[in-house]
Amino acid sequence: IKCMWRKILWVFTILFLLAVILCIVSVYVSPASVKWMALCPFMLRYVLIGLAALMLVWLFVNFKVAIPIAVVSFVGFKFVSHEYSFRDKSLDDKADFRVMSYNVKCFGILDKNSNILREKVLETISATDADIVCLQEAYWANKPADFPTLDVLSKNLKAKSVQKVRLNNFNYGTGGLAVVTRYKVINQYSHPFDSTANGFMYVDILMNEDTVRLYNCHLQSIMISNSDVDMSNGFNRENKDKAMNLYSKFSEASAHRAVQVDTLVATLDTCPYPVLLCGDFNDVPLSYACFQVLASGERLHDTFMERGEGSGRTFSVMGVDFRIDYIMHSNLFKCLRHKVLEFNIANDHYPVVAEFMW
C-alpha cells in the first residue's frame, strides 16, 4: 500500500510540474500558431497551489525531491508577480511628468445620458492634470460643437498638441486613438489593423530637448458581454454552448492580438529613442502580447510591476477583475507611482496613471 501511494504521489507531482512548466512556456508561444495555449496562463496560480501542497508532502517523504519542486515553484511565483503586488511601492520623489492611459468608451456617446457621461469623463481626465494623455476608443464629432471632447480636453490641460488616428466611423463622428500632450510633437505614425477597429500610433515628442517616442495602442478585443459568461443555470446544454462560444471568441481574439503585437514590436525593436507606451491590450499580464512588448528592444518596464498594489484591475466582467490596460517605459525613465483611478464609465475600463522622473 505504501508503494502504491508513493507511485500516486509521483504521478501527481509529475503532472503538476509539467502543468506549471507548460503555463510558463505558453507566454512565449504565439496564439496565432497554437491557439489553445493562450488559456494556459489562467491556470498558473491554481497549479502552483497544488504544486506547493505537493512540495510540503515531499518534505516529509523525501526532502531531496522537494528541492527541484521548490525551484519550479519559485519560477512560477515570479511569473505570478506580473499579476499581483502585495504592497504599495510608491516613492515620494517629485515627479517630472505624469502619464494617463484610458479607454474612454467614446466618451459615452453610445450610452444613455451621453452628455452627462462625457462631462464626467472630461472632468476626471482634466483633474488628473497629466502631461501626456493616451486615449483608446476616443471620439470626436464631425462638428466639434455638436459633442465637444478632445478640444475641451486640450484646453483644460493646456496641451500643445492633439494627435488622433481614425479607426472607426460613426454617422455623426469618428472613433479611434488620441494623444493629448503638453509636449511638442515633431513626428507621427499610425498603423490601423486590417478588418478591425484596432491599431496603434506613435508620436515623437520633445522632452528636455530630447526626442521620446510615445506609443498608444489598442489591441483586439474579445468582444464578450455579460450574457456570454453568465453560467448561473449550472452545467446544461445552453451553458455548454456558451462555453464553447466563449472559447472560440477568446482563442480567435488571442490569435489576432498575437499578429498585431508582432507588428507593434517590430517598430519597437527599431526605435532609436526612449519609449513610453500606453494601451488597452485586451489581454492579461501573463500573455504572449504582454511578454512580447516587455521583452522588446532594450526591454520595457511595466509600471504596475514596479509601483502597483493589489491586482491592479482595470476591467471587470461578472465580478471578475482583470488588468488589461498598461503603461510601460524604457530604462531612461524612473517610475515613481502607479495608480488605477476609482472611476468607471458604464462598467468599462478604469483609467491608469503613472508618474515619472526624467
Side-chain angles (χ1 to χ4, degrees):
I1 296 176
K2 183 178 180 181
C3 182
M4 182 186 71
W5 279 110
R6 180 166 287 211
K7 288 181 179 179
I8 293 174
L9 182 60
W10 268 112
V11 169
F12 273 96
T13 301
I14 292 172
L15 287 176
F16 273 83
L17 278 170
L18 290 175
V20 170
I21 293 171
L22 179 63
C23 291
I24 292 172
V25 170
S26 68
V27 301
Y28 300 104
V29 177
S30 171
S33 302
V34 189
K35 292 181 180 180
W36 62 267
M37 289 194 77
L39 287 172
C40 293
F42 291 94
M43 300 187 299
L44 181 59
R45 71 192 75 173
Y46 305 109
V47 293
L48 276 174
I49 293 172
L51 191 62
L54 288 167
M55 182 182 66
L56 292 176
V57 174
W58 277 111
L59 283 173
F60 295 98
V61 177
N62 185 341
F63 77 92
K64 291 183 179 180
V65 178
I67 295 174
I69 297 176
V71 172
V72 175
S73 298
F74 175 77
V75 174
F77 279 109
K78 288 290 287 181
F79 274 74
V80 172
S81 68
H82 286 252
E83 298 187 300
Y84 297 100
S85 177
F86 298 103
R87 61 186 179 88
D88 183 357
K89 296 170 285 193
S90 298
L91 301 178
D92 294 330
D93 306 60
K94 183 180 179 181
D96 292 319
F97 63 95
R98 183 178 295 124
V99 178
M100 170 184 258
S101 181
Y102 188 16
N103 183 319
V104 292
K105 201 179 180 183
C106 299
F107 289 96
I109 188 67
L110 303 177
D111 297 272
K112 295 180 179 179
N113 302 315
S114 58
N115 287 323
I116 296 175
L117 290 173
R118 177 196 58 192
E119 293 305 318
K120 288 183 177 180
V121 173
L122 290 172
E123 180 182 341
T124 299
I125 298 174
S126 301
T128 305
D129 196 31
D131 301 284
I132 295 170
V133 176
C134 291
L135 303 176
Q136 304 86 42
E137 291 192 31
Y139 170 84
W140 51 96
N142 292 328
K143 297 179 180 179
D146 292 344
F147 195 81
T149 54
L150 299 180
D151 47 345
V152 174
L153 193 57
S154 175
K155 181 180 179 181
N156 291 350
L157 292 175
K158 299 179 181 178
K160 285 186 178 180
S161 178
V162 177
Q163 303 293 323
K164 48 196 178 185
V165 174
R166 176 175 59 105
L167 296 175
N168 199 11
N169 286 324
F170 299 92
N171 291 332
Y172 31 78
T174 303
L177 299 169
V179 170
V180 182
T181 177
R182 292 170 176 162
Y183 296 103
K184 182 180 179 180
V185 173
I186 58 174
N187 182 43
Q188 178 187 348
Y189 170 83
S190 62
H191 189 105
F193 297 126
D194 293 337
S195 304
T196 72
N198 303 97
F200 72 88
M201 65 182 294
Y202 66 69
V203 294
D204 293 335
I205 57 177
L206 286 179
M207 298 178 67
N208 296 344
E209 305 302 321
D210 292 321
T211 302
V212 173
R213 182 155 292 175
L214 170 64
Y215 279 84
N216 185 14
C217 60
H218 187 198
L219 303 184
Q220 185 72 42
S221 172
I222 305 175
M223 302 297 288
I224 62 173
S225 62
N226 285 339
S227 61
D228 289 326
V229 293
D230 183 7
M231 307 289 181
S232 57
N233 293 328
F235 190 77
N236 55 30
R237 179 58 184 270
E238 180 186 356
N239 284 346
K240 181 181 178 181
D241 291 341
K242 278 186 177 182
M244 292 303 296
N245 181 58
L246 185 60
Y247 168 72
S248 178
K249 284 186 174 183
F250 175 80
S251 60
E252 287 297 324
S254 297
H256 282 299
R257 280 194 297 273
V259 175
Q260 293 170 358
V261 83
D262 286 345
T263 304
L264 171 65
V265 166
T267 68
L268 283 167
D269 285 339
T270 58
C271 177
Y273 309 119
V275 169
L276 290 166
L277 185 146
C278 298
D280 171 9
F281 282 20
N282 277 306
D283 220 336
V284 294
L286 290 180
S287 65
Y288 175 82
C290 283
F291 270 72
Q292 286 299 104
V293 174
L294 287 172
S296 65
E298 63 174 1
R299 186 171 182 84
L300 300 185
H301 302 277
D302 183 345
T303 58
F304 169 81
M305 291 182 64
E306 293 177 302
R307 306 297 173 205
E309 182 179 16
S311 67
R313 65 92 178 88
T314 64
F315 188 81
S316 298
V317 177
M318 294 292 290
V320 181
D321 294 335
F322 298 96
R323 184 165 73 92
I324 62 175
D325 300 270
Y326 303 86
I327 298 177
M328 301 178 181
H329 64 95
S330 299
N331 288 323
L332 187 65
F333 306 106
K334 180 179 180 181
C335 180
L336 302 177
R337 289 172 281 277
H338 172 102
K339 186 177 182 181
V340 180
L341 303 186
E342 290 296 324
F343 177 78
N344 192 316
I345 174 175
N347 297 317
D348 209 61
H349 293 252
Y350 291 86
V352 182
V353 178
E355 296 183 3
F356 296 89
M357 283 182 65
W358 170 257

